[in-house]
Amino acid sequence: MLNVARKRAPRSPGTSTTSRPGPQPPLRHRPHGGNIPLFTPEGTQQALVSSAAGHLASQGALIAGFSLNRGYTAEDYDTHYTAAGLTLAERYATWDREPFTGGDYAVSVHRVALAHYPLTNR
């Protein structure tokens, strides 16, 4: 996933694997290893999702794909992201953006919730 991102946007900070000391700038888009919540201890997924969401810029998106037949459902995932301040923007059946109509795999795009944006500059 990162190799494709590096080819498409080589200067994007989200495609670097090097660590820089000090605070990191928020990321506009962040690929999230979808299998990570599947294999973390039950009850820790919310903290994991909240931590990943905390690295997003104000209009950022977290993108992850994973199998839905391992005890962690798309509904669980959406609930955790909603609690972290993100909303489901898109869901696909594949990384090639085939429409999601159910099945055992999903690629989800969650964005920072619009409710977090001020409606005016007052």
Side-chain angles (χ1 to χ4, degrees):
M1 183 173 15
L2 283 175
N3 288 335
V4 172
R6 283 186 194 104
K7 287 177 186 174
R8 293 182 181 174
R11 295 184 192 147
S12 173
T15 61
S16 173
T17 58
T18 59
S19 295
R20 291 177 282 162
Q24 300 296 310
L27 298 174
R28 178 150 182 185
H29 299 93
R30 177 184 173 103
H32 185 264
N35 63 335
I36 295 171
L38 300 179
F39 298 107
T40 57
E42 189 169 334
T44 63
Q45 292 94 345
Q46 182 63 65
L48 171 77
V49 166
S50 294
S51 176
H55 292 281
L56 290 176
S58 62
Q59 296 180 1
L62 250 159
I63 306 155
F66 62 92
S67 180
L68 300 175
N69 61 0
R70 297 194 178 220
Y72 188 67
T73 67
E75 292 79 16
D76 295 333
Y77 193 65
D78 293 343
T79 298
H80 292 142
Y81 273 95
T82 298
L86 283 82
T87 57
L88 178 65
E90 302 168 70
R91 179 162 285 137
Y92 304 103
T94 68
W95 285 99
D96 292 330
R97 299 185 196 170
E98 294 295 320
F100 182 78
T101 58
D104 61 1
Y105 191 86
V107 176
S108 302
V109 179
H110 286 82
R111 295 193 179 279
V112 175
L114 293 177
H116 292 227
Y117 293 83
L119 296 176
T120 65
N121 290 330
R122 293 189 258 174

